[in-house]
Amino acid sequence: MAEQALTDISGLLNEEKWTRATLNNYTVNNFKELDEILDQVREEGRQQDVLAECEEHLQHTKNSIIALYISGILHISRQAVNDTNLVTLINIFADNHKWNIVAYLANRILEFGENKAALRTLADCYNNENQLEDMYEVWERLIRVDFDEADIVRRLAERKEELGETEQAIDYYKKALHRYINKKAFNNLREVWHKLIHYAPEETEFFYHAESKIAKTISPDRASQLLEELYPHFKNTERWDIAIELLKRILNYDSKNPFARKEIVECYRSKYAHHSHLEEYVKLSNLNQSWRNIHDAITDFEKHISFDAGNFVYHRAWGVGIIRSIDDDSVLIDFARKRGHSMSLKMAVSSLDILEKDHLWVLKSIWKKEKLRKKVKSDVVWTLRTVIKSCGNAADIKRIKAELVPSILTPNEWTAWSAKARNELKTNQEFGNLTDKPDHYMVREQPISFEEKTFNKFKAEKSFFDRVKTIDEFLEYIEQGGIEGTDSQFFREMFDYFVGFLRSVTTVNEYTISSLLLVKRIVARFPYLHPGDIDLVFVSLYEQISDLEDIFRKIENSEIRKEFLQNLRRKVSDWPDRYVQLFPYALTREIITELERAGHVDKLHELFHRMYSNYRDQREPYIWLVRNCFQDAWFQEMEIPFEKVLISMIHLLDITYRDIDNKRDTTYNRKLNRQIHNFLFKDRHVARFLSEAEEASLTRIYTLVSDVKDLDPSIRIELKQIILDRFPNFKFYGEQETETVSRGFITTPKSFEAKQKQLQHIQEVEVPENSKEISAALALGDLKENAEYKAAKERQDFLNSTAARLKEELETAEVMRPDEIKADAVAFGTRVQLKNNRTGETEIYTILGPWESNPEEAVISYLSPLGSKLYNHVPGDHLQFEINERTYDYLVEDVTAAEF
């Protein structure tokens, strides 16, 4: 029975071959019968065998209807891009005008997802059958997947125009314009341009965007020509600011354009018709003289024309003022602190800035402070608009804050206000991003859509992976129903940016492999976006990678990293080895889970031993493994004594404390230090170990913990109590000597002063700075996902605990001065010379306190394990002892006073 479907298909292929059935004999029912057989093929799991049979049959009977259909359906049902056989089949029946069969075949293809060829064919069927409404509906689907199609978009626009659906017509005309630009079809785009001038002339931002694209894609002359054709609308409606802007854009392409030079003078005359010195300034700037550089002339004219009675100005020393009068070459200005000040026009033009009447600095000068403060707090959008325009229509959050705090808002008021402001800047269509600075905002003349705002942000991003993040935001917007599908021209341009990395690949780097994975992900969701001339095969690029670790490390996007690992597992035979190799750069549970699930426990053991044997250099992956996996079954199978794990973690705790003190990778080491600290003490692994371990092991662990520099003393006290509860007579090395210093430990005057300064710096510098960081982070909103806020709060906890510890230690420390040192026995402030009886070598140590300890320089604490063993001994004493499973055999040769 398992062979039935394959047998039936073989029989049908042979029957077709020998009977040579004509096309006229085929009906839709014939294909429905083939569909029933295909269902049986799937049930039997024989798709590959049937596909091979059909492909072999097509080798010698290339137009076999049955083989073309069955192989085509099997290909497309696998989400494969190859629809060649079905398209061939459609063309065969279309050439013979069998439209009902053509429509059936097209719809069968569309059952597996939108397909350009199928949609185009279906539309032709409906057209031939005069089913025009159905044809328009299919056209609307077609243009959402075929980004090169422009003529049908235009015909849809004309259709909506006929139906009086103007807004939809405008949308289609805009789409058609962009597509004609891409096709460099100037005559077509010019016709559409005029349609848009007729229906939507006020959408200048759209025209500006299209104009710049035309200049780049076709030619600057063509862009200039179209601007000249847009200009008359604004001249006739006396919209002088926009008319002047259009003429400036034309002059940017050709500064000698006689039309634009003549018209801009006329526009200025019309705009400033009531200005008392208009003609004088036109003449002074040589605006209408062809020999003068037009851009310099415009700058001079606009600077001079701004000076008129009643206008506001700003001087860097005197602040805001108002022009009272202009008499010939003399300007009379009232400043707040310098009324009736007179200066020459030339001096005024060079030293003063003109301010609009709604400029924030003007409002600060003429409004009462409480009135302005109330307006700012109650109307966020008005404030943003005012501040951004006052900053030359370009400002980031930092600049906005500088204008408002503390002159209008207090820092606390800013925190709540800025959260609302950020939301408005992100969602309000009145605000857009600068195309070259994504963190700077501008006030738009027309509302900006989310698609365009995202696209502008995308263009302004300098980093490849920032652009990945931005297109992901766009895809999320589609997912949430913001727009239907990916037919946005803005999305297409973003998508093509990544496709560009896959064309003519010469060297595989983090950008090419990331582009491949991103494009594959998008195509899997929208198959019609597949760039047909590119094979999206992971292995092809993977095999060209020269340094796997370097490329993977440089992939900054977590989702792409995850997809990289998934492709490794599915496509690369030695993936377990590669997982072990890449783990230090991808600290993810997925690697551990997949290796364990696939039975590669040996690789997990290899991974751990690699990290353990080099845990100082591989500290982060080692810490991750210990924290996340030490209770896993595969970890337990290694039977590594937990004492060894604790010793390595305590050692790393000490190393990270020292690196932090030495300001070496401070942020990184603070993070690791916190993770180790939590594992050892907050999660109580050390405490539990001390509660159960034998006395020898317990001694080793406690000794190591007690010697960790900068560890909170309260931790030592707690661990000491756990030990004493089990072993009341347990001797803590250095305890006897410590008790002689009832107020705490001993230190030098220099160390005491340094710790005082450290405490002062924390309290007076670092804590206030941290408070500012918390306020700034709060302003970002959404505390659950606010990494800056979490980091600032963690920093606050660290500073508070450090300050408390320093304060307590300073209060209890006993300062020992050089003249108080007695060198008759080993003690604080002495220098001891020892003979190592095991090696015969002489060893010299300086004995000071925990604040001065520096083992690398042979300076040890009298509270340390070695210091405790040497303490109170005199020349001639023979010492034998063991520390951390190491035996020591010394003869004390000499004790002298140390220099400190």
Side-chain angles (χ1 to χ4, degrees), residues 807-818:
K807 188 175 180 182
E808 180 183 352
E809 290 176 349
L810 286 166
E811 288 174 352
T812 60
E814 179 179 347
V815 178
M816 182 74 75
R817 304 184 184 282

Side-chain angles (χ1 to χ4, degrees), residues 781-797:
D782 191 9
L783 299 185
K784 290 182 179 180
E785 300 297 328
N786 192 331
E788 290 85 352
Y789 176 76
K790 292 178 182 177
K793 288 295 288 181
E794 289 171 354
R795 173 71 173 155
Q796 183 186 58
D797 293 340

Side-chain angles (χ1 to χ4, degrees), residues 331-533:
V331 182
L332 188 66
I333 306 168
D334 282 341
F335 294 101
R337 297 189 297 271
K338 197 175 182 68
R339 295 189 173 276
H341 180 72
S342 178
M343 62 173 62
S344 68
L345 179 60
K346 184 177 181 180
M347 176 63 73
V349 169
S350 64
S351 63
L352 301 177
D353 294 321
I354 295 295
L355 303 181
E356 297 292 334
K357 290 179 173 58
D358 59 353
H359 194 287
L360 182 65
W361 296 352
V362 173
L363 299 180
K364 285 181 180 180
S365 299
I366 64 177
W367 283 19
K368 290 184 177 180
K369 183 175 180 178
E370 189 55 37
K371 175 185 176 181
L372 183 57
R373 183 171 175 274
K374 185 176 180 181
K375 178 67 174 175
V376 167
K377 291 183 68 175
S378 63
D379 196 337
V380 175
V381 173
W382 175 88
T383 306
L384 287 172
R385 188 188 309 120
T386 301
V387 174
I388 293 171
K389 284 190 171 182
S390 299
C391 297
N393 205 21
D396 59 3
I397 287 291
K398 186 177 180 180
R399 177 66 188 277
I400 294 170
K401 181 179 181 180
E403 294 293 337
L404 298 177
V405 179
S407 59
I408 300 174
L409 297 175
T410 67
N412 287 339
E413 289 172 334
W414 164 261
T415 299
W417 188 93
S418 63
K420 299 175 185 176
R422 289 175 188 275
N423 185 58
E424 291 292 345
L425 291 170
K426 183 178 180 180
T427 60
N428 194 314
Q429 294 187 346
E430 185 175 349
F431 303 107
N433 302 87
L434 294 190
T435 55
D436 58 339
K437 295 180 180 178
D439 59 341
H440 282 62
Y441 301 93
M442 60 180 291
V443 180
R444 296 269 302 204
E445 292 294 330
Q446 288 91 34
I448 182 172
S449 65
F450 176 86
E451 299 99 283
E452 187 176 352
K453 184 178 285 192
T454 305
F455 178 67
N456 288 343
K457 180 182 177 184
F458 182 89
K459 288 195 300 180
E461 299 286 9
K462 306 301 182 188
S463 161
F464 174 91
F465 290 104
D466 284 341
R467 290 187 167 186
V468 171
K469 182 180 177 182
T470 301
I471 197 171
D472 279 340
E473 290 174 358
F474 197 99
L475 290 166
E476 183 180 353
Y477 180 68
I478 295 174
E479 183 74 28
Q480 294 171 351
I483 59 173
E484 184 180 350
T486 58
D487 61 329
S488 164
Q489 183 63 33
F490 298 119
F491 176 81
R492 183 65 188 202
E493 290 190 35
M494 290 188 285
F495 180 74
D496 285 345
Y497 168 81
F498 297 104
V499 172
F501 282 92
L502 304 177
R503 300 188 189 280
S504 304
V505 176
T506 55
T507 302
V508 175
N509 55 28
E510 65 272 21
Y511 305 131
T512 49
I513 200 74
S514 296
S515 294
L516 173 76
L517 294 169
L518 177 64
V519 170
K520 274 173 65 72
R521 188 206 315 159
I522 294 173
V523 168
R525 187 173 167 191
F526 307 106
Y528 52 82
L529 288 174
H530 193 290
D533 58 335

Side-chain angles (χ1 to χ4, degrees), residues 11 31 54 101 152 158 171 196-197 201 215 254 263 271 331 341 350 376 382 513 542 548 557 697 727 733 749 762 886:
F31 292 99
C54 290
I101 293 178
I152 289 178
E158 292 166 349
D171 287 341
L196 288 168
I197 291 175
D254 179 9
E263 288 295 319
K271 177 180 179 179
V331 182
H341 180 72
S350 64
V376 167
W382 175 88
I513 200 74
Y542 173 79
L548 179 62
N557 184 274
S697 296
F727 304 101
Y733 296 113
I762 290 173
R886 179 182 173 185

Side-chain angles (χ1 to χ4, degrees), residues 1 505 549 623 750:
M1 186 66 186
V505 176
E549 292 179 26
I623 293 167
K750 183 178 180 180

Side-chain angles (χ1 to χ4, degrees), residues 704-729:
L704 284 172
V705 170
S706 64
D707 203 37
V708 173
K709 189 177 181 181
D710 292 330
L711 188 64
D712 188 340
S714 65
I715 292 174
R716 295 191 186 94
I717 294 171
E718 180 188 1
L719 298 180
K720 180 178 177 181
Q721 189 59 50
I722 292 172
I723 296 172
L724 290 174
D725 288 343
R726 294 186 64 204
F727 304 101
N729 297 321

